[in-house]
Amino acid sequence: MTDGRHRLAVIGAGPAGLAASLAAAARGIHVTLIDSAAAAGGQFYRRPASGLGARRPRALHHQWRTWERLEQGLAGHLEAGAIEHLTDHHVWLVERAGAGARPGFTVHSLLGPLQERSVTVRADAVLLATGGYERVLPFPGWTLPGVVTAGGAQAMLKGGLVVPGRTAVVAGTGPLLLPVATGLAAAGVEVAALVESADPRAFVRGAGALTAQPGKLAEGARYAVRLLRHRVPFVPSHTVVEAHGEERLEAVTVAGLGPDGRVRTGTGRRIPCDTLAVGHGMIPHTDLAEALGCRIDGPRVDVDDEQRTDVPGVWAAGETTGIGGSALSLTEGHLAGRSIAARLSGTGPDPRAVARAVRSRTRTRTFFAALDTVYAPPAHWTDQVTDDTVVCRCEEVTAGRVREAVTDLGAGDVRTVKLLTRAGMGWCQGRVCEPAVAGLVGCEQTPARRLLARPVPLGVLARAGVDGDDGTPGAGSPPARE
C-alpha cells in the first residue's frame, strides 16, 4: 500500500468476516479479505456454483435478504478498492512482524486447490473469523460409505445441488439437524427419521433463557412445521448406536436414552437407510489464535467487549469466539470492524455504540449457552464405542488401542495418547478425532497450540524461511498466479 491507509487482514469470509470487512472499509481502512473458498459467504451463506444454473438458490436458505445486503456491500467496496478479496487462499500461519503500539503482521496462505505456493499479506491488524467445525463422535460402523456429517450433507445440498442418497436418517444433537432434515426432505430425499439425543424436558428447564430470543423460537417452530409437512418422524431422547452394511450403509440401529444419558436396554430398533447425516454440534476453530499466543477460554478464543484478543493488534469474531449462529457472528463482526477502524485511526471507539453491541451480544450468547446445555452429546456415548471401532481414521487407531494406552500405559491426556498410539498425527492433525480421544480418555480437550494451521509443503517452508514471502506480493497488489 502506498496511499497511507491502515491495513487490516480479515481471515474468513463468513458472516463475521464479511460484517467486519464492511464496517472497517466504510471507515477508511483498507481490508484484505482472505478465504479458502471460491466465493464469499462461508458455510452459512454457501450457494450453488453459477454453472449449475440454480433457478431459486434462495430456496435452500433463510436470511437471504441479509446475504444480499452483505453481497452488495462487498461488491461496492471491491469496486472502490477499499476491499481486496483473495479467494482460494488457505492461511497456514500469521506472524507478528513487530511490537509496540502498532505491531505489523504477515499472513501466510497457500494458493489454489494444489496449495503448493505461498502468498503473503502484510497488515497492521488481523481479524480472525475462522468459524468452527463439526464435532465428530465415533460409533460402530461410522466409517461406512453413506455416513456423512450433518454439515457435509448440507454443504452438498447447498453448494452442489446434490443429495447424498435416497433414504436418510438425520441424527445426533443440535439445532443444525433441523435445517439438514428439512432441506433433504424438500430436495426429495425420504428422511426416515430425525433422531435427536436431547431430552425434550431439558427445553423446559432452560425455558427462561430460551424465551428471551422469541425470533429463534419462531424459527424452530417453522422447522417443526416443515418436518410435519414432509412427514419426517421425530425421535427424541434417542441416539445411533451402530451403522450396518457391507460395502456401504444399509441401516442404522437407534436406541432410547435414559435420564442419565445411558442407552436403555431393549429399546434398540433398526431403520433401513442408505445415508446417515450425523452431527453433535460445533467446535470453534482456534488454530491461528493458538499459534499467535491468544488466550483460549475452554474451546474458544477469549475476547473483550470490542472483540480484541489479549494479543495487541489481533481481533476475533464469530464462531471462533464461541458457537452462536449467524446473527451473533454478524454482531461480533460489525463490532470488531468498528473497533479496529477506531483503534487504528487513533480516535477510539464510541462507548455508547460498543455498549449497545455488547448488550445484543450478551443476549444472544446467553441464549446459545442455554442451547449448549440442552444439546450436549449423551453423557455416556463412549459406552457404545466398541474396541474395534476406528477412532482416528487418518492413522487407523481403534478405540481399543486408546483404552490400552490409558489402562496399561498410564496415559491421562490426549497428547500422551497421541504419542503412544499416533491418534491425531495424520492429515487432519487431530481436528476430527481429538474430541473422541478426549472422551475415551476421560479428560478435557485442551488447545493443541499447533505452530501451523494446516499441512504445508516443505518447499514452501524452506522458501519462507529464506526470504519471508516466497517472492509474492503483499496486500495492495494482485497475488502472483500459478
Side-chain angles (χ1 to χ4, degrees), residues 2-379:
T2 59
D3 59 6
R5 284 186 292 174
H6 294 282
R7 297 170 296 173
L8 166 66
V10 175
I11 303 172
L18 285 171
S21 297
L22 299 186
R27 290 159 178 80
I29 304 299
H30 182 275
V31 177
T32 303
L33 179 59
I34 310 168
D35 194 58
S36 60
Q43 171 70 3
F44 188 79
Y45 293 120
R46 184 187 293 268
R47 300 164 317 287
S50 57
L52 294 176
R55 289 177 295 178
R56 295 175 57 246
R58 68 178 64 196
L60 299 174
H61 298 266
H62 58 290
Q63 299 183 13
W64 186 260
R65 291 183 180 178
T66 301
W67 160 247
E68 288 181 324
R69 289 194 294 270
L70 292 170
E71 184 181 39
Q72 291 166 5
L74 177 62
H77 285 301
L78 288 172
E79 185 177 358
I83 295 179
E84 180 183 8
H85 184 197
L86 304 183
T87 59
D88 289 317
H89 281 61
H90 308 261
V91 176
W92 55 274
L93 179 66
V94 179
E95 287 185 292
R96 281 188 283 180
R102 187 178 171 184
F105 296 89
T106 302
V107 180
H108 299 267
S109 59
L110 296 172
L111 176 63
L114 296 179
Q115 301 182 35
E116 294 179 346
R117 187 173 185 181
S118 186
V119 173
T120 62
V121 170
R122 294 183 176 86
D124 302 305
V126 171
L127 170 69
L128 305 176
T130 48
Y133 56 97
E134 286 188 90
R135 179 189 285 112
V136 178
L137 301 180
F139 49 87
W142 76 289
T143 57
L144 280 170
V147 180
V148 298
T149 65
Q154 187 182 58
M156 292 172 65
L157 186 58
K158 281 184 172 184
L161 300 180
V162 295
V163 294
R166 296 182 178 181
T167 305
V169 170
V170 179
T173 190
L176 178 60
L177 301 187
L178 292 171
V180 171
T182 55
L184 290 175
V189 176
E190 178 190 352
V191 180
L194 171 54
V195 182
E196 169 60 68
S197 64
D199 185 341
R201 289 172 294 185
F203 288 90
V204 177
R205 292 192 292 269
L210 296 176
T211 54
Q213 292 283 330
K216 288 293 183 182
L217 294 181
E219 182 180 324
R222 288 192 292 271
Y223 281 124
V225 170
R226 293 175 193 171
L227 291 174
L228 290 172
R229 184 184 305 148
H230 292 288
R231 298 181 179 180
V232 176
F234 178 59
V235 187
S237 300
H238 278 64
T239 189
V240 172
V241 295
E242 187 172 1
H244 309 279
E246 295 297 330
E247 298 298 323
R248 62 164 292 115
L249 181 69
E250 298 171 4
V252 299
T253 293
V254 303
L257 293 168
D260 60 353
R262 297 184 187 276
V263 169
R264 291 185 286 118
T265 304
T267 61
R269 61 187 178 102
R270 190 178 176 112
I271 304 176
C273 61
D274 59 18
T275 300
L276 171 62
V278 59
H280 290 90
M282 302 284 292
I283 299 173
H285 205 304
T286 60
D287 287 357
L288 293 173
E290 291 165 13
L292 278 164
C294 300
R295 183 169 56 246
I296 308 297
D297 179 11
R300 64 182 183 86
V301 180
D302 188 48
V303 293
D304 67 7
D305 284 351
E306 297 178 39
Q307 301 297 137
R308 294 181 297 177
T309 72
D310 61 330
V311 174
V314 179
W315 279 253
E319 308 280 41
T320 191
T321 67
I323 305 303
S326 63
L328 180 58
S329 293
L330 290 169
T331 298
E332 291 188 355
H334 185 75
L335 176 58
R338 290 174 63 102
S339 171
I340 292 166
R343 294 291 177 180
L344 289 181
S345 64
T347 60
D350 179 354
R352 290 177 296 180
V354 171
R356 287 195 299 270
V358 168
R359 285 195 295 270
S360 175
R361 185 184 69 177
T362 300
R363 287 194 299 270
T364 309
R365 281 185 175 179
T366 300
F367 174 82
F368 278 95
L371 278 189
D372 284 344
T373 301
V374 172
Y375 286 126

